[in-house]
């Protein structure tokens, strides 16, 4: 999809699996001075893992940016849990984003709250940092990210739809 949208003639390479338990992965490498300079203008840097900050993304593209980030470093989980005190089963859904930079996730959290009026559950720092959204906030965020998507990772899209259906069928 990205190759088509960018009008690229580059080949899609198949990466060698080092572990038989891992999924097959593919790579599309697109480069050039114009793309590099455009990314630098947007705030991208080399060796960014712990120093990255949220680039200046126009409001109309933020949902697309967020969906792309989710496809790469996000996840959605859903399940039931039982509360003994109330003797009742509950459903939950959680959306999480991961990054080595706590600063980046805090900036992302602020932008999500400002643009979509969705409150962050929390930003947790361990070896990696995690930004999470629970229940109705998670549902609202997923709906914002997948409102008329053009490009998305199919397996994340399918899992997101399963999670939304599970949570909404209460």
């Amino acid at each position: 999809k990205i190759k088509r949208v960018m009008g690229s003639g580059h080949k899609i390479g198949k990466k060698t699996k080092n572990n038989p338990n891992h999924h097959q992965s593919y790579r599309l490498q697109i480069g050039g001075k114009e793309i590099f300079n455009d990314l630098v203008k947007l705030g991208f840097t080399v060796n960014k893992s712990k120093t990255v900050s949220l680039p200046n993304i126009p409001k109309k593209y933020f949902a697309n940016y967020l969906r792309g980030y989710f496809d790469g470093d996000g996840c959605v989980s859903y399940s039931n849990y039982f509360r003994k005190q109330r003797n009742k089963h509950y459903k939950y859904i959680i959306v999480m984003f991961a990054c080595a930079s706590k600063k980046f996730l805090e900036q992302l959290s602020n932008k999500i709250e400002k643009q979509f009026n969705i409150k962050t559950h929390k930003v947790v720092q361990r070896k990696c940092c995690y930004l999470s959204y629970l229940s109705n906030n998670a549902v609202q965020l997923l709906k914002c990210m997948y409102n008329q998507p053009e490009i998305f990772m199919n397996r994340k899209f399918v899992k997101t739809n399963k999670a939304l259906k599970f949570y909404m069928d209460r």
Side-chain angles (χ1 to χ4, degrees):
K1 290 178 185 176
I2 292 171
K3 180 179 174 178
R4 179 179 38 81
V5 168
M6 291 189 73
S8 170
H10 293 82
K11 292 181 181 178
I12 297 175
K14 190 174 182 178
K15 290 181 75 178
T16 306
K17 287 185 359 177
N18 295 329
N19 184 330
N21 295 325
H22 291 169
H23 294 283
Q24 182 63 56
S25 63
Y26 301 88
R27 174 177 39 204
L28 172 64
Q29 288 182 278
I30 299 174
K33 288 181 182 179
E34 185 179 354
I35 290 173
F36 178 82
N37 291 332
D38 287 345
L39 292 172
V40 168
K41 285 178 192 172
L42 289 170
F44 287 76
T45 61
V46 293
N47 300 323
K48 63 172 177 33
S49 62
K50 292 192 179 184
T51 61
V52 67
S53 59
L54 188 66
N56 184 17
I57 304 155
K59 189 174 185 174
K60 67 181 183 177
Y61 299 122
F62 184 65
N64 295 313
Y65 174 86
L66 192 60
R67 187 177 56 257
Y69 191 79
F70 175 76
D71 280 350
D73 288 319
C75 69
V76 60
S77 298
Y78 57 97
S79 189
N80 286 305
Y81 68 95
F82 182 73
R83 290 192 64 179
K84 287 182 184 179
Q85 303 90 331
R86 296 184 180 173
N87 195 31
K88 189 172 178 182
H89 286 273
Y90 291 89
K91 291 183 176 185
Y92 78 87
I93 182 172
I94 184 168
V95 172
M96 291 178 62
F97 298 91
C99 186
S101 170
K102 185 176 181 182
K103 175 185 163 191
F104 173 84
L105 290 179
E106 288 169 341
Q107 292 171 337
L108 187 64
S109 169
N110 291 335
K111 178 85 172 183
I112 289 169
E113 185 171 347
K114 182 178 177 183
Q115 185 151 337
F116 301 130
N117 196 28
I118 301 172
K119 300 269 189 225
T120 300
H121 176 64
K122 61 181 163 183
V123 177
V124 176
Q125 185 168 5
R126 296 185 187 121
K127 287 183 181 178
C128 184
C129 299
Y130 300 94
L131 170 62
S132 60
Y133 294 86
L134 296 175
S135 303
N136 293 332
N137 288 338
V139 169
Q140 186 180 351
L141 186 60
L142 290 171
K143 286 181 177 180
C144 289
M145 288 192 306
Y146 286 99
N147 180 23
Q148 300 179 334
E150 293 178 39
I151 298 175
F152 53 86
M153 188 179 289
N154 286 335
R155 71 178 172 81
K156 291 267 179 108
F157 183 70
V158 168
K159 187 166 183 184
T160 293
N161 284 329
K162 285 181 182 177
L164 289 170
K165 183 174 177 9
F166 170 83
Y167 187 74
M168 301 309 276
D169 290 344
R170 300 194 253 179

